[in-house]
């Protein structure tokens, strides 16, 4: 696989009334062709600016963006427009033409690309069938639900057979069930048409559900990136730990800053738990047959405290996660960790206040 | 109640009023529509922001809009004479009416086009649409209801101005109202012209509302 999008040392500074504001600070990343790549961060982290730099809707202040090895900075206005028509984009608020029918909305990008009227109409009908709205072609966006509108937007974004689909908070305005169905549609598009998908979101569930790779953005900087399942098993940065161990979406970070009690901790006196050494273990499908924790307790004849236990869907497979408070004896602690690691469990030290 | 000469005079006045209003509105849009588009596109959040151009157009618009219509009418008498050849009558009045309507229309158009959702414009840009396509297919297409509502207000305003032009022999219902109602104290003729002006305004408003309702696809 080769990189379809390469971002090199990207910076974007906005001039505002109160001086300049650095939205993106030196971000570099590579997105492989055929990947579903997630970019997560809280609102204002710069992720929307980052995705707009990928098709030059925003021009970076410095750094390079390469799409299929072409440096976007070297393209003329006309070449840039042609490139944009081969990159699909969908948005949080769908951004459909409200005065045009569903069919006309999908025809629009085809006409921009110079497709004849009759051909565009035929293609638009096919696309609306792909997204599951063949009976809505003559409806107007105002008559559709949020999920249906996003489907129209997806059909529109796919009109010119793009190799890349950029999704800017595409599910943020939708309820969980609709989000699920839109994500399934995106996965289908990725698998059947081989479209590389870049997803901007502030919802960890979206990343877990369909992304293979993820980049975590905090205050304009890339703090961690890599395979979702690896980051899920070994989150390194503070931001990743918050996302994964605490299960908090970025927008909840601020609110809970400095507070010790999160859901898992509400059940026990905080001071008591803080003294314990705590570890997080992740079960994969093959490790969940044996009752590991029960066996461990039987073996060492010492109880451990289960502080949190959960199952999460990561890239289509169920992952169990558990946070354990270990007994005070340090040798016993090490023995327990060894015992768990022998059983192929991912063990992660938890230092933060969970 | 009215002599046949009076009736035919009133009918002629009605025809002149309609003629002045409709032609001035059309000419006004011929100038004001592109003017408003340029204002929108060159504005701070426009498609092609151009501070210098916007400032110049903005100032011209404001200056022209601040001159009261009757004074403007007098100020541009030389221009009227140059274009039409005379300074009185319905056709002559079309010149000051158009000059007065154009900046008004430009502002109406600017505010309508600025209402178009920036997200939709961004989506069009992301599809590779050029400036002209966005102006005609997106801005005007999406703002059409608001544009029609603006045109309805414009027609009403021009109808009012055309009646005012009667003071300087402009022809139409306003002219009749001033000559017969004001100078000759013929209250019956005054009232008939007023009623006809009200009716005209109602008809324009009705047509405008009907068209914009019919064109609006945003309702369920």
């Amino acid at each position: 696989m080769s990189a379809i999008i390469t971002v090199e040392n990207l910076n974007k500074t906005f001039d505002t009334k109160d001086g300049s504001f650095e939205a993106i600070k030196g971000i570099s990343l590579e997105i492989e062709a055929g990947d579903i790549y997630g970019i997560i961060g809280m609102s204002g982290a710069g992720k929307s600016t980052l995705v707009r730099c990928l098709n030059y809707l925003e021009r970076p202040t410095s750094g390079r963006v390469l799409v299929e090895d072409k440096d976007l900075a070297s393209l003329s206005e006309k070449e840039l427009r042609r490139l944009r028509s081969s990159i699909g984009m969908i948005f949080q608020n769908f951004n459909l033409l409200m005065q045009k029918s569903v069919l006309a909305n999908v025809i629009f990008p085809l006409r921009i690309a110079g497709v004849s009227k009759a051909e565009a109409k035929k293609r638009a009908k096919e696309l609306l069938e792909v997204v599951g709205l063949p009976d809505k072609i003559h409806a107007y966006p105002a008559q559709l639900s949020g999920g249906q509108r996003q489907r129209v937007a997806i059909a529109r974004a796919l009109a010119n057979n793009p190799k890349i689909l950029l999704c800017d908070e595409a599910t943020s305005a939708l309820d969980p069930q609709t989000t699920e169905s839109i994500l399934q549609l995106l996965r289908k598009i990725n698998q059947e048409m081989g479209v590389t998908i870049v997803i901007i979101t502030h919802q960890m569930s979206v990343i877990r559900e369909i992304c293979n790779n993820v980049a975590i953005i905090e205050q304009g900087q890339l703090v961690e990136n890599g395979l979702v399942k690896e980051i899920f098993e070994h989150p390194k940065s503070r931001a990743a730990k918050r996302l994964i161990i605490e299960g908090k979406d970025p927008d909840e970070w601020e609110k809970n800053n400095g507070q010790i009690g999160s859901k898992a901790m509400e059940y026990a006196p905080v001071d008591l738990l803080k003294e314990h050494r705590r570890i997080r273990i992740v079960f994969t499908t093959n490790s969940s047959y044996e009752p590991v924790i029960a066996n461990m307790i039987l073996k060492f004849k010492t109880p451990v405290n289960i502080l949190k236990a959960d199952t999460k869907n990561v890239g289509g497979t169920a992952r169990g996660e558990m946070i354990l408070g270990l007994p005070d004896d340090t040798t016993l602690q090490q023995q327990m960790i060894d015992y768990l690691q022998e059983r192929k469990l991912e063990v992660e030290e938890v230092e933060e206040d969970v | 109640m009215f002599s046949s000469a009076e009736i035919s005079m009133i009918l002629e006045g009605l025809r002149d009023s309609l003629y002045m209003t409709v032609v001035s509105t059309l000419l006004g849009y011929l100038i004001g529509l592109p003017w408003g588009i340029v204002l929108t596109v060159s504005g701070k959040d426009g498609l092609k922001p151009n501070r210098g151009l916007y400032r110049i157009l903005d100032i011209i618009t404001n200056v022209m809009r601040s001159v009261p219509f009757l004074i403007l009418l007098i100020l541009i008498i030389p221009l009227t004479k140059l274009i039409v050849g005379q300074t009185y009558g319905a056709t002559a009045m079309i010149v000051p009416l158009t000059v007065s309507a154009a900046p008004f229309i430009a502002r109406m158009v600017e505010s309508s086009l600025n209402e178009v959702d920036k997200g939709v414009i961004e989506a069009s840009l992301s599809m590779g649409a050029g400036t002209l396509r966005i102006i005609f297919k997106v801005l005007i297409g999406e703002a059409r209801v608001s544009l029609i509502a603006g045109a309805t207000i414009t027609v009403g305003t021009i109808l009012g101005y055309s009646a005012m032009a009667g003071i300087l022999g402009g022809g139409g219902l306003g002219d009749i109202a001033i000559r017969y109602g004001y100078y000759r104290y013929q209250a019956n003729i005054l009232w008939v012209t007023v009623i006809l002006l009200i009716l005209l305004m109602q008809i324009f408003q009705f047509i405008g509302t009907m068209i914009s309702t019919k064109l609006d696809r945003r309702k369920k």
Side-chain angles (χ1 to χ4, degrees), chain A residues 50-332:
Chain A
L50 177 60
V51 77
R52 277 162 181 71
C53 285
L54 300 184
N55 60 2
Y56 259 44
L57 278 180
E58 291 283 4
R59 279 178 183 270
T61 313
S62 69
R64 297 206 301 167
V65 179
L66 292 100
V67 175
E68 296 189 294
D69 299 324
K70 257 181 288 176
D71 186 347
L72 298 197
S74 70
L75 300 182
S76 69
E77 190 64 28
K78 204 174 163 191
E79 289 170 319
L80 197 57
R81 284 214 302 270
R82 197 174 313 136
L83 175 99
R84 281 186 192 141
S85 84
S86 69
I87 299 178
M89 190 165 184
I90 57 173
F91 305 84
Q92 177 171 8
N93 299 318
F94 325 123
N95 295 346
L96 298 173
L97 296 165
M98 298 304 280
Q99 302 285 12
K100 292 237 158 64
S101 72
V102 165
L103 190 64
N105 263 285
V106 184
I107 288 174
F108 186 55
L110 290 160
R111 298 289 290 152
I112 294 172
V115 178
S116 75
K117 258 185 189 160
E119 188 60 33
K121 196 171 171 184
K122 196 173 138 238
R123 170 101 183 108
K125 281 182 178 167
E126 287 167 13
L127 284 160
L128 286 164
E129 214 146 298
V130 171
V131 299
L133 293 172
D135 52 333
K136 296 283 183 200
I137 57 173
H138 297 301
Y140 286 87
Q143 299 163 318
L144 303 180
S145 68
Q148 289 171 328
R149 286 184 206 185
Q150 196 59 288
R151 282 168 189 273
V152 177
I154 291 172
R156 180 175 75 171
L158 294 177
N160 290 311
N161 294 311
K163 288 190 182 146
I164 301 166
L165 178 63
L166 307 175
C167 311
D168 183 20
E169 296 278 7
T171 57
S172 301
L174 305 173
D175 61 65
Q177 245 177 329
T178 317
T179 296
E180 177 66 37
S181 75
I182 294 292
L183 292 180
Q184 273 173 15
L185 176 61
L186 290 177
R187 191 185 289 136
K188 183 178 123 184
I189 288 161
N190 170 257
Q191 285 168 354
E192 290 176 12
M193 305 182 190
V195 179
T196 308
I197 299 182
V198 181
I199 293 182
I200 299 291
T201 184
H202 66 271
Q203 298 165 310
M204 192 55 203
S205 56
V206 170
I207 301 283
R208 275 203 319 265
E209 191 108 329
I210 76 165
C211 296
N212 302 317
N213 278 285
V214 63
I216 302 169
I217 307 284
E218 205 178 11
Q219 289 173 349
Q221 281 169 315
L222 179 72
V223 290
E224 191 167 349
N225 66 338
L227 286 168
V228 174
K229 57 174 189 287
E230 274 171 21
I231 290 185
F232 187 76
E233 281 161 17
H234 304 288
K236 290 185 201 76
S237 64
R238 189 173 151 76
K241 284 182 178 168
R242 281 169 138 178
L243 278 171
I244 288 152
I245 301 179
E246 299 180 36
K248 279 184 195 138
D249 282 339
D251 284 346
E252 295 170 54
W253 293 354
E254 293 278 276
K255 280 183 261 170
N256 294 311
N257 247 354
Q259 282 179 18
I260 296 160
S262 81
K263 266 183 231 157
M265 304 295 286
E266 278 158 18
Y267 309 123
V270 171
D271 291 342
L272 186 75
L273 292 176
K274 278 186 86 171
E275 286 166 16
H276 287 291
R277 186 167 177 195
R278 286 166 297 148
I279 56 165
R280 171 177 179 268
I281 52 177
V282 175
F283 298 90
T284 48
T285 16
N286 39 2
S287 55
S288 41
Y289 295 109
E290 191 197 336
V292 187
I293 307 296
N295 286 349
M296 181 177 77
I297 293 166
L298 289 174
K299 183 176 177 201
F300 295 104
K301 310 231 166 9
T302 318
V304 290
N305 203 352
I306 298 175
L307 300 173
K308 184 185 174 186
D310 202 355
T311 317
K312 280 182 179 138
N313 177 1
V314 179
T317 47
R319 299 270 161 135
E321 62 164 337
M322 208 179 256
I323 293 176
L324 303 176
L326 299 182
D328 289 336
D329 184 343
T330 42
T331 36
L332 192 57

Side-chain angles (χ1 to χ4, degrees), chain B residues 50-109:
Chain B
N50 184 329
R51 227 164 138 188
L53 179 64
Y54 184 81
R55 277 293 286 276
I56 292 167
L57 281 177
D58 188 48
I59 289 170
I60 296 175
T61 316
N62 286 342
V63 167
M64 287 181 67
R65 290 208 52 213
S66 3
V67 183
F69 174 68
L70 272 181
I71 293 170
L72 181 92
L73 196 159
I74 298 162
L75 276 178
I76 64 163
I77 279 178
L79 180 70
T80 309
K81 183 139 195 180
L82 189 77
I83 295 173
V84 187
Q86 62 178 43
T87 59
Y88 54 88
T91 306
M93 282 310 122
I94 287 172
V95 178
L97 282 173
T98 303
V99 171
S100 164
F104 180 77
I105 291 167
R107 280 286 183 235
M108 286 284 195
V109 169

